[in-house]
Amino acid sequence: MGKEKVLQLANHIGRKKHGSKSAYTYTDPEYMILEPVVTDEMAEVGLCLEFRNPKSAEEVAPLYGKSLEETEKQLWELAMAGVCFVGEKDGVDKFWLETWIPGVMEMMVNHKENVRKYPQIAEAFEAYGRIRGPQSAGIFPVGKGLMRVIPIEMAIDGESRRASYEEVSKYLNEATRFSVSDCACRTSREIMGEGCGHLKEEMCIQLDHAAEYYIRTGRGREITREEAFEIIKKAEENGLMHQIPNTDGPGKTHAICNCCGCSCYSLRTATMFYNNDMIRSNYVSQVDKDKCVACGECVKVCPVNALQLGQKLCEEAQVVEERIDLPSNTKWGPERWNPDYRINRKNVLDSGTSPCITQCPAHIPVQGYIKLASQGRYTEALELIKKQNPFPAVCGRICPRKCESVCTRGNIDEPVAIDDIKKFIAEQDLNKDIRYIPKKRHNYGKKIAVIGAGPSGLSCAYYLAIDGYKVTVFEKEKALGGMLTLGIPSYRLEKDVVNAEIDIIKELGVEFKTGIEVGKDISLDELRAQGYEAFYIAIGAQAGRKLGVDGEDAEGVISGVDFLREVNLGNVVDVKGKVVVVGGGNVAIDVARTATRAGASTVEMYCLESREEMPALDEEIEEALSEDVGINNSWGPKRILTEKGKVVGVEFKKCISVFDENNRFNPKYDEKDTMVVKADKVLLAIGQSIDWGGLLEGSKVELNPNNTIKVDPFTLQSAEPDIFAGGDVATGPKFAIDAIALGQEGAISIHRYVQPGQDLILGRDRKEYKAFDKENLELEGYDRIPRQRTPHVDGSKAKETFKDLRPTLTEDQVKKETERCLSCGATVVDQYICVGCGQCTTKCKFDAISLVRKYDEVNVDFRDLKPIIIKSLLKRKGRMITHSIKKSITGVRKVSK
């Protein structure tokens, strides 16, 4: 049995007749939120209060039947709990009731002690919208919902028909008192362990009487008008949008909320129930496809997933389902909801988008930075790149160019020189005076340890630093950069390029400790004792692999990665004479070309694969051949020949096939077809392995059969909850850009892990991209334009130096090359789903998306709402009948957009 008086109070607040069929019961959220903290005495005095009719303790005492002192005590208990408002009017404290939402429930959740002591409060707040929300489907006209989106003001600056009640500045300029509090929705999510990574602290602004209440009851901090504007600005910069309580009367409100679509209960009306009219502003987004380049920045920040990436070269192939059934004309039940909206958000239409952003492991907005470069906006282009990749100068020199391999321009003549354009843009990072250093978004301050200063670890440190974490990177070598510094030769990647981009990470406050091997010099437990709350392990695959043949332990047989490390450290490695390199990948190419520069008289590569099957990039193979490196395909080592413990040659056997019918590595040989090759040195570059040392001793971390760390493929969390891992230790040897991409994901997960109540998955961008089908493209009308190229590097000169002789495109060449981009992608907006917040417009750098006024509705006082709802309800019934008839004739169609 529950508390009868408390249930009566719940019905009184909800303006329901206690005991009637429509009245609340003991299982309803309205009762459940009150039950833990409201006593019978508090409930009795609450029953004497009225909705928005302030009363003093003197006025309530006769109704309550208790002394003035006791009445005042119980009223203050109610106000402190969040069940009623209190405000000073003419020098006297007066008390009144508010709506459940927005009102009582937020106020109760914002009691920081109660909500932690009684999680039921947070749960009831969540349940209210989930249970009551569907009941409002199609009933509230635009502009009349309990909460309402208010556009980001700069998004409607050019709209001549905008009204003052649609401007945040109006409310801030008219108010005289201000406070800021934690977001109630995010607090509730946090208590339930369902946070989305957007944190609750100091998010919502209260005005005038609400500010007074929040300040006096300890829910909020008093701020100035100027501070309120700064909070609004910071929220907008961080991708949040605004909503206001919408039932105070025309052009009035008592609060401004800064919301995210992944946790806000008001926005759930749109994201889960698709009842968007309930909360929308008077505006909708509109995309100018001719200006749009599908950079995707608008898609990322849209709180309701109204924007998705599509394409514009063959619109007939771009199918978007037309919304015929709406809450306003159709019975709206669970089968039409989207209960998984926090995990099924889509970046791309089913018909696909640009291949370049899809193919890039980091999903860098290629067409965006190319367009910016075409306009000479190089710093903005660099900023856009570094949202996904903190090492554009590095990648401009060593990237495998997966984006170019699928570039739509290649279907006309040749792919756009994407990597060369990126390299030109990133030259700014090499100049201290003009390099781009991102602004810190937060100042969270918690200590995080990154183990390994390679591309993945550095990427993780970079993004954590932007969020204001205290990051320390531990590196066992004296040099930073991992394989970027010690594995890639300088003729491909000059070390000053790596160091310049690492310097930016240092500028962000990241601390580096070199010459320290975690697991040997210090343990993970010791780091935990020092206050480190999470770890990102990214030590790379830094060791070589053995062949498993006789003679490989002889003097003169060297691991390729060890050889590269020694050369990059500046140590002398004797490779005079004939050098045989075993392997056919990019590392083997690096080893062979480095041996040429290090003094070898001849260098011959031998690999199992045919020329077509070689894993090395074609470009690197050609460069090796130009430097007189011999490449011998379809040969595998049988044994290494030795004399007196030293290598003298290698016996090879003919490889018939490398892969079986299932494309698995399973080489077959002709054991009779062999040959002997003389060698003074043998460099093995057949793959890399991971040397864990003592790093994982005593931990719960599990390893896969290939010795990589077992982590969740999305969150990168290991079996030890505070340990995350990425890069080669998680995936096996891959490209730097793959490691960089995982570093950012690791930072996202660690942020969520170390903050209380945050889930690692909910509300997270899954970065699932799909390229459009090129079979449907219409490219006949495009002229053939030659690709811009840098002058060819003479191999005979290149092999004489460790300097990178490859030039960069000139600015004139960049201008010409960027014009070759077809801008084949474009954002598509679902104007019904769009709630008109304007966040998308603030992120677009091309003036390609704008808010247009579609409605002209103003809010009303809650007490004037009932007749409007009844009228809307009757109209909806008529629309449902008409729509049902039309639908039976036309059916559901799919249309191109």
Side-chain angles (χ1 to χ4, degrees):
M1 188 67 179
K3 300 178 180 178
E4 178 70 19
K5 288 288 185 182
V6 175
L7 182 60
Q8 288 181 31
L9 176 61
N11 281 301
H12 181 59
I13 294 171
R15 292 164 299 284
K16 291 181 178 291
K17 184 178 180 181
H18 185 64
S20 67
K21 287 185 178 180
S22 64
Y24 304 134
T25 68
Y26 291 115
T27 60
D28 284 322
E30 293 86 349
Y31 169 79
M32 296 300 292
I33 199 167
L34 300 177
E35 188 271 337
V37 294
V38 177
T39 64
D40 284 349
E41 291 78 13
M42 291 165 66
E44 285 181 14
V45 79
L47 290 168
C48 302
L49 296 179
E50 296 179 14
F51 177 71
R52 294 187 181 176
N53 183 19
K55 291 183 178 181
S56 67
E58 285 188 354
E59 293 173 295
V60 174
L63 302 173
Y64 182 39
K66 300 286 178 70
S67 68
L68 177 61
E69 182 180 9
E70 179 63 19
T71 301
E72 194 166 33
K73 175 187 174 184
Q74 295 302 328
L75 285 171
W76 266 104
E77 290 287 338
L78 271 184
M80 291 301 296
V83 183
C84 72
F85 263 119
V86 60
E88 185 180 314
K89 298 181 183 298
D90 300 322
V92 177
D93 284 338
K94 296 199 173 185
F95 304 81
W96 68 95
L97 299 178
E98 252 301 338
T99 53
W100 283 114
I101 297 289
V104 173
M105 292 203 168
E106 287 91 342
M107 289 151 58
M108 292 192 69
V109 170
N110 275 326
H111 191 298
K112 298 179 182 181
E113 293 179 12
N114 282 349
V115 77
R116 279 167 176 72
K117 187 176 181 180
Y118 305 107
Q120 178 178 322
I121 294 173
E123 293 162 0
F125 182 34
E126 184 281 327
Y128 179 88
R130 178 167 39 81
I131 294 170
R132 305 300 176 211
Q135 298 171 7
S136 64
I139 296 174
F140 281 78
V142 172
K144 304 301 186 288
L146 304 181
M147 293 287 291
R148 190 181 191 186
V149 171
I150 184 167
I152 291 174
E153 197 159 329
M154 63 179 291
I156 57 173
D157 279 348
E159 174 57 64
S160 60
R161 295 189 299 137
R162 75 178 190 268
S164 62
Y165 64 81
E166 297 165 330
E167 299 171 353
V168 170
S169 62
K170 167 201 180 314
Y171 299 104
L172 294 182
N173 286 328
E174 289 181 354
T176 58
R177 197 172 188 185
F178 310 86
S179 66
V180 63
S181 73
D182 293 348
C183 169
C185 297
R186 273 171 260 178
T187 297
S188 170
R189 296 284 197 187
E190 178 186 304
I191 294 296
M192 296 188 295
E194 297 179 358
C196 66
H198 291 109
L199 303 188
K200 66 181 185 302
E201 281 75 17
E202 299 206 332
M203 278 292 113
C204 296
I205 297 170
Q206 296 78 39
L207 310 174
D208 293 332
H209 78 267
E212 178 193 347
Y213 169 78
Y214 266 67
I215 294 163
R216 293 181 69 186
T217 60
R219 284 167 167 77
R221 174 175 66 88
E222 185 160 18
I223 59 174
T224 65
R225 178 179 286 109
E226 292 71 27
E227 286 178 294
F229 273 110
E230 281 299 313
I231 290 168
I232 292 292
K233 179 183 176 182
K234 183 178 179 181
E236 292 173 1
E237 289 175 349
N238 289 335
L240 303 178
M241 45 78 73
H242 313 307
Q243 290 187 92
I244 58 174
N246 197 47
T247 62
D248 289 7
K252 298 178 181 179
T253 194
H254 61 269
I256 302 171
C257 301
N258 297 310
C259 309
C260 66
C262 30
S263 280
C264 177
Y265 294 141
S266 172
L267 284 174
R268 181 170 58 176
T269 305
T271 52
M272 178 173 173
F273 297 119
Y274 292 140
N275 186 24
N276 297 49
D277 286 353
M278 177 85 172
I279 60 165
R280 70 168 74 253
S281 75
N282 282 328
Y283 296 83
V284 293
S285 294
Q286 180 174 281
V287 175
D288 184 337
K289 68 176 184 179
D290 293 327
K291 293 181 179 179
C292 181
V293 295
C295 69
E297 293 301 292
C298 58
V299 174
K300 293 175 188 175
V301 298
C302 178
V304 293
N305 205 193
L307 304 172
Q308 293 181 35
L309 293 178
Q311 55 104 344
K312 57 188 176 187
L313 295 186
C314 184
E315 293 196 50
E316 288 74 17
Q318 182 160 279
V319 179
V320 182
E321 186 171 336
E322 184 181 21
R323 293 190 180 276
I324 296 174
D325 295 338
L326 301 172
S328 59
N329 63 22
T330 304
K331 184 179 179 181
W332 210 249
E335 71 282 358
R336 300 185 183 278
W337 304 344
N338 181 20
D340 295 328
Y341 73 98
R342 300 184 83 199
I343 58 172
N344 66 6
R345 182 183 176 93
K346 293 173 63 176
N347 290 330
V348 180
L349 293 174
D350 290 340
S351 47
T353 190
S354 309
C356 53
I357 193 173
T358 301
Q359 195 71 10
C360 174
H363 304 298
I364 299 170
V366 174
Q367 293 178 113
Y369 72 73
I370 286 178
K371 185 67 173 179
L372 289 168
S374 75
Q375 299 171 348
R377 299 158 66 186
Y378 303 124
T379 300
E380 291 176 82
L382 187 58
E383 177 186 359
L384 187 60
I385 294 170
K386 295 187 85 166
K387 287 184 177 181
Q388 308 298 326
N389 177 8
F391 298 104
V394 166
C395 288
R397 289 158 171 81
I398 65 167
C399 194
R401 306 184 181 192
K402 295 180 181 181
C403 52
E404 290 187 27
S405 68
V406 295
C407 176
T408 307
R409 183 82 209 189
N411 290 61
I412 299 173
D413 37 48
E414 292 183 273
V416 174
I418 297 170
D419 220 40
D420 287 330
I421 295 170
K422 179 170 62 189
K423 181 181 177 183
F424 175 87
I425 294 168
E427 288 296 298
Q428 295 172 92
D429 255 5
L430 310 184
N431 185 331
K432 286 186 177 181
D433 296 328
I434 59 172
R435 67 189 182 187
Y436 170 72
I437 299 176
K439 177 183 177 181
K440 286 192 176 184
R441 300 192 310 155
H442 305 285
N443 186 26
Y444 293 137
K446 293 173 180 281
K447 292 175 69 175
I448 312 296
V450 173
I451 302 169
S456 195
L458 292 171
S459 173
C460 183
Y462 175 87
Y463 290 108
L464 284 171
I466 291 173
D467 266 347
Y469 286 100
K470 293 181 180 178
V471 185
T472 303
V473 179
F474 296 88
E475 170 56 55
K476 74 175 183 178
E477 302 289 351
K478 292 296 184 183
L480 300 174
M483 295 299 278
L484 299 178
T485 302
L486 302 179
I488 299 175
S490 292
Y491 61 81
R492 288 185 58 216
L493 179 59
E494 297 270 17
K495 303 317 163 195
D496 60 351
V497 174
V498 181
N499 291 332
E501 297 202 300
I502 292 176
D503 283 346
I504 293 171
I505 300 177
K506 291 178 179 178
E507 287 276 345
L508 289 170
V510 174
E511 182 182 1
F512 290 90
K513 294 187 177 183
T514 57
I516 297 178
E517 182 176 350
V518 179
K520 179 182 178 182
D521 302 310
I522 192 169
S523 69
L524 291 174
D525 281 340
E526 288 173 318
L527 290 174
R528 289 185 181 101
Q530 292 179 18
Y532 289 96
E533 297 189 33
F535 304 89
Y536 185 71
I537 296 178
I539 61 174
Q542 71 280 47
R545 288 177 55 196
K546 290 197 170 186
L547 290 166
V549 300
D550 291 342
E552 67 178 322
D553 294 324
E555 183 180 338
V557 179
I558 308 171
S559 159
V561 292
D562 289 343
F563 169 67
L564 291 173
R565 181 182 297 109
E566 291 301 308
V567 173
N568 280 316
L569 286 171
N571 300 326
V572 176
V573 183
D574 180 13
V575 287
K576 292 183 176 64
K578 297 179 179 180
V579 173
V580 167
V581 177
V582 180
N586 292 309
V587 174
I589 295 283
D590 287 343
V591 169
R593 296 175 67 192
T594 300
T596 298
R597 289 164 171 78
S601 57
T602 63
V603 178
E604 295 287 330
M605 289 178 58
Y606 292 83
C607 62
L608 297 175
E609 300 88 358
S610 66
R611 174 64 185 276
E612 294 74 22
E613 293 172 322
M614 284 181 70
L617 298 174
D618 289 340
E619 177 184 348
E620 296 201 33
I621 293 172
E622 292 300 327
E623 288 174 351
L625 291 171
S626 75
E627 295 175 8
D628 299 321
V629 172
I631 298 179
N632 303 272
N633 298 101
S634 302
W635 291 100
K638 185 174 183 179
R639 60 180 176 138
I640 294 175
L641 306 176
T642 64
E643 288 182 7
K644 297 180 181 180
K646 294 184 178 181
V647 64
V648 295
V650 184
E651 182 179 1
F652 290 96
K653 53 188 175 181
K654 191 69 174 178
C655 181
I656 301 170
S657 64
V658 180
F659 304 100
D660 61 20
E661 62 275 8
N662 295 316
N663 205 33
R664 291 177 298 194
F665 182 75
N666 186 21
K668 294 181 180 179
Y669 303 95
D670 182 350
E671 298 288 346
K672 295 180 181 179
D673 189 355
T674 63
M675 69 173 176
V676 173
V677 177
K678 291 182 180 181
D680 297 302
K681 291 288 188 295
V682 175
L683 305 179
L684 305 180
I686 57 166
Q688 295 156 251
S689 61
I690 302 166
D691 180 7
W692 287 106
L695 176 58
L696 302 178
E697 287 183 7
S699 76
K700 299 175 184 176
V701 170
E702 301 173 8
L703 299 179
N704 293 307
N706 65 353
N707 208 35
T708 56
I709 189 169
K710 187 178 289 186
V711 294
D712 181 279
F714 183 36
T715 67
L716 305 183
Q717 188 177 40
S718 72
E720 188 80 71
D722 64 350
I723 294 178
F724 300 78
D728 290 354
V729 292
T731 62
K734 297 184 84 170
F735 293 104
I737 188 62
D738 297 281
I740 289 166
L742 289 186
Q744 185 176 35
E745 292 304 310
I748 293 169
S749 289
I750 287 171
H751 160 67
R752 288 166 171 250
Y753 173 76
V754 300
Q755 296 293 345
Q758 305 306 303
D759 186 89
L760 295 187
I761 294 175
L762 295 175
R764 184 165 175 172
D765 185 354
R766 303 190 76 87
K767 298 180 181 175
E768 294 175 344
Y769 288 78
K770 176 185 177 183
F772 55 69
D773 184 356
K774 291 186 180 181
E775 294 298 319
N776 297 308
L777 298 185
E778 300 169 359
L779 303 173
E780 293 78 10
Y782 290 93
D783 294 332
R784 296 174 67 87
I785 304 173
R787 174 175 169 142
Q788 296 295 307
R789 284 181 165 81
T790 56
H792 174 71
V793 177
D794 186 340
S796 63
K797 293 181 180 179
K799 71 178 184 178
E800 299 297 326
T801 179
F802 276 97
K803 290 186 176 181
D804 186 355
L805 300 181
R806 298 170 297 171
T808 302
L809 292 175
T810 66
E811 185 169 14
D812 184 58
Q813 284 181 301
V814 168
K815 294 288 187 185
K816 292 177 180 177
E817 187 61 18
T818 55
E819 290 173 1
R820 297 181 66 243
C821 178
L822 300 177
S823 295
C824 55
T827 296
V828 176
V829 58
D830 184 328
Q831 289 194 337
Y832 173 75
I833 294 297
C834 174
V835 293
C837 70
Q839 180 58 236
C840 54
T841 70
T842 71
K843 304 305 177 187
C844 182
K845 295 179 179 294
F846 309 103
D847 195 29
I849 191 165
S850 58
L851 286 191
V852 294
R853 191 178 180 94
K854 185 175 181 179
Y855 307 97
D856 189 22
E857 300 295 334
V858 66
N859 60 324
V860 298
D861 188 289
F862 186 87
R863 289 163 289 200
D864 299 325
L865 194 55
K866 188 174 181 179
I868 295 173
I869 298 301
I870 292 173
K871 183 178 179 181
S872 177
L873 190 61
L874 294 173
K875 285 185 175 181
R876 181 181 184 237
K877 288 182 178 180
R879 284 193 297 267
M880 289 173 69
I881 294 171
T882 302
H883 178 67
S884 178
I885 295 171
K886 286 183 177 180
K887 187 177 175 182
S888 65
I889 298 171
T890 61
V892 177
R893 295 175 294 134
K894 291 202 172 186
V895 298
S896 297
K897 283 193 178 181

PDB file of all heavy atoms in Angstrom, residues 243-255:
ATOM      1  N   GLN A 243      15.859  25.006 -26.123  1.00  0.00           N
ATOM      2  CA  GLN A 243      14.415  24.858 -25.948  1.00  0.00           C
ATOM      3  C   GLN A 243      13.981  25.739 -24.774  1.00  0.00           C
ATOM      4  O   GLN A 243      14.799  26.069 -23.912  1.00  0.00           O
ATOM      5  CB  GLN A 243      14.039  23.405 -25.645  1.00  0.00           C
ATOM      6  CG  GLN A 243      14.206  22.462 -26.814  1.00  0.00           C
ATOM      7  CD  GLN A 243      13.649  21.089 -26.483  1.00  0.00           C
ATOM      8  OE1 GLN A 243      12.482  20.796 -26.755  1.00  0.00           O
ATOM      9  NE2 GLN A 243      14.464  20.246 -25.900  1.00  0.00           N
ATOM     10  N   ILE A 244      12.707  26.079 -24.781  1.00  0.00           N
ATOM     11  CA  ILE A 244      12.169  26.880 -23.684  1.00  0.00           C
ATOM     12  C   ILE A 244      10.863  26.268 -23.184  1.00  0.00           C
ATOM     13  O   ILE A 244      10.111  25.665 -23.964  1.00  0.00           O
ATOM     14  CB  ILE A 244      11.899  28.345 -24.109  1.00  0.00           C
ATOM     15  CG1 ILE A 244      10.924  28.379 -25.301  1.00  0.00           C
ATOM     16  CG2 ILE A 244      13.190  29.058 -24.432  1.00  0.00           C
ATOM     17  CD1 ILE A 244      10.476  29.787 -25.692  1.00  0.00           C
ATOM     18  N   PRO A 245      10.560  26.398 -21.880  1.00  0.00           N
ATOM     19  CA  PRO A 245       9.207  26.091 -21.403  1.00  0.00           C
ATOM     20  C   PRO A 245       8.231  26.996 -22.150  1.00  0.00           C
ATOM     21  O   PRO A 245       8.452  28.203 -22.255  1.00  0.00           O
ATOM     22  CB  PRO A 245       9.289  26.429 -19.909  1.00  0.00           C
ATOM     23  CG  PRO A 245      10.742  26.286 -19.564  1.00  0.00           C
ATOM     24  CD  PRO A 245      11.473  26.753 -20.787  1.00  0.00           C
ATOM     25  N   ASN A 246       7.152  26.401 -22.635  1.00  0.00           N
ATOM     26  CA  ASN A 246       6.343  27.080 -23.660  1.00  0.00           C
ATOM     27  C   ASN A 246       4.934  27.407 -23.202  1.00  0.00           C
ATOM     28  O   ASN A 246       4.061  27.669 -24.015  1.00  0.00           O
ATOM     29  CB  ASN A 246       6.283  26.180 -24.904  1.00  0.00           C
ATOM     30  CG  ASN A 246       5.850  26.903 -26.146  1.00  0.00           C
ATOM     31  OD1 ASN A 246       6.352  27.978 -26.446  1.00  0.00           O
ATOM     32  ND2 ASN A 246       4.908  26.305 -26.889  1.00  0.00           N
ATOM     33  N   THR A 247       4.696  27.389 -21.871  1.00  0.00           N
ATOM     34  CA  THR A 247       3.315  27.575 -21.416  1.00  0.00           C
ATOM     35  C   THR A 247       3.164  28.782 -20.485  1.00  0.00           C
ATOM     36  O   THR A 247       2.233  28.850 -19.697  1.00  0.00           O
ATOM     37  CB  THR A 247       2.817  26.310 -20.680  1.00  0.00           C
ATOM     38  OG1 THR A 247       3.641  26.099 -19.515  1.00  0.00           O
ATOM     39  CG2 THR A 247       2.867  25.102 -21.580  1.00  0.00           C
ATOM     40  N   ASP A 248       4.092  29.757 -20.593  1.00  0.00           N
ATOM     41  CA  ASP A 248       4.025  30.930 -19.729  1.00  0.00           C
ATOM     42  C   ASP A 248       3.189  32.062 -20.330  1.00  0.00           C
ATOM     43  O   ASP A 248       2.979  33.082 -19.673  1.00  0.00           O
ATOM     44  CB  ASP A 248       5.430  31.463 -19.441  1.00  0.00           C
ATOM     45  CG  ASP A 248       6.225  30.551 -18.520  1.00  0.00           C
ATOM     46  OD1 ASP A 248       5.731  29.452 -18.218  1.00  0.00           O
ATOM     47  OD2 ASP A 248       7.342  30.925 -18.125  1.00  0.00           O
ATOM     48  N   GLY A 249       2.772  31.877 -21.548  1.00  0.00           N
ATOM     49  CA  GLY A 249       2.012  32.932 -22.217  1.00  0.00           C
ATOM     50  C   GLY A 249       2.777  33.456 -23.410  1.00  0.00           C
ATOM     51  O   GLY A 249       3.982  33.220 -23.559  1.00  0.00           O
ATOM     52  N   PRO A 250       2.107  34.156 -24.328  1.00  0.00           N
ATOM     53  CA  PRO A 250       2.742  34.622 -25.563  1.00  0.00           C
ATOM     54  C   PRO A 250       4.034  35.396 -25.316  1.00  0.00           C
ATOM     55  O   PRO A 250       4.055  36.377 -24.571  1.00  0.00           O
ATOM     56  CB  PRO A 250       1.668  35.525 -26.190  1.00  0.00           C
ATOM     57  CG  PRO A 250       0.376  35.002 -25.633  1.00  0.00           C
ATOM     58  CD  PRO A 250       0.690  34.557 -24.238  1.00  0.00           C
ATOM     59  N   GLY A 251       5.128  34.894 -25.936  1.00  0.00           N
ATOM     60  CA  GLY A 251       6.404  35.588 -25.842  1.00  0.00           C
ATOM     61  C   GLY A 251       7.051  35.557 -24.482  1.00  0.00           C
ATOM     62  O   GLY A 251       7.913  36.387 -24.185  1.00  0.00           O
ATOM     63  N   LYS A 252       6.650  34.625 -23.615  1.00  0.00           N
ATOM     64  CA  LYS A 252       7.202  34.552 -22.272  1.00  0.00           C
ATOM     65  C   LYS A 252       7.780  33.160 -22.001  1.00  0.00           C
ATOM     66  O   LYS A 252       7.305  32.172 -22.532  1.00  0.00           O
ATOM     67  CB  LYS A 252       6.124  34.853 -21.221  1.00  0.00           C
ATOM     68  CG  LYS A 252       5.530  36.251 -21.308  1.00  0.00           C
ATOM     69  CD  LYS A 252       4.443  36.427 -20.252  1.00  0.00           C
ATOM     70  CE  LYS A 252       3.808  37.819 -20.347  1.00  0.00           C
ATOM     71  NZ  LYS A 252       2.734  37.978 -19.336  1.00  0.00           N
ATOM     72  N   THR A 253       8.788  33.138 -21.138  1.00  0.00           N
ATOM     73  CA  THR A 253       9.315  31.861 -20.646  1.00  0.00           C
ATOM     74  C   THR A 253      10.097  32.142 -19.379  1.00  0.00           C
ATOM     75  O   THR A 253      10.448  33.291 -19.084  1.00  0.00           O
ATOM     76  CB  THR A 253      10.202  31.152 -21.681  1.00  0.00           C
ATOM     77  OG1 THR A 253      10.414  29.800 -21.269  1.00  0.00           O
ATOM     78  CG2 THR A 253      11.565  31.830 -21.826  1.00  0.00           C
ATOM     79  N   HIS A 254      10.377  31.090 -18.629  1.00  0.00           N
ATOM     80  CA  HIS A 254      11.144  31.257 -17.392  1.00  0.00           C
ATOM     81  C   HIS A 254      12.463  30.498 -17.416  1.00  0.00           C
ATOM     82  O   HIS A 254      13.181  30.449 -16.407  1.00  0.00           O
ATOM     83  CB  HIS A 254      10.321  30.814 -16.171  1.00  0.00           C
ATOM     84  CG  HIS A 254       9.920  29.364 -16.201  1.00  0.00           C
ATOM     85  ND1 HIS A 254       8.734  28.932 -16.760  1.00  0.00           N
ATOM     86  CD2 HIS A 254      10.544  28.256 -15.755  1.00  0.00           C
ATOM     87  CE1 HIS A 254       8.642  27.623 -16.639  1.00  0.00           C
ATOM     88  NE2 HIS A 254       9.735  27.179 -16.027  1.00  0.00           N
ATOM     89  N   ALA A 255      12.820  29.907 -18.580  1.00  0.00           N
ATOM     90  CA  ALA A 255      14.073  29.157 -18.649  1.00  0.00           C
ATOM     91  C   ALA A 255      14.491  28.963 -20.099  1.00  0.00           C
ATOM     92  O   ALA A 255      13.671  29.034 -21.022  1.00  0.00           O
ATOM     93  CB  ALA A 255      13.937  27.798 -17.959  1.00  0.00           C
TER      94      ALA A 255
END
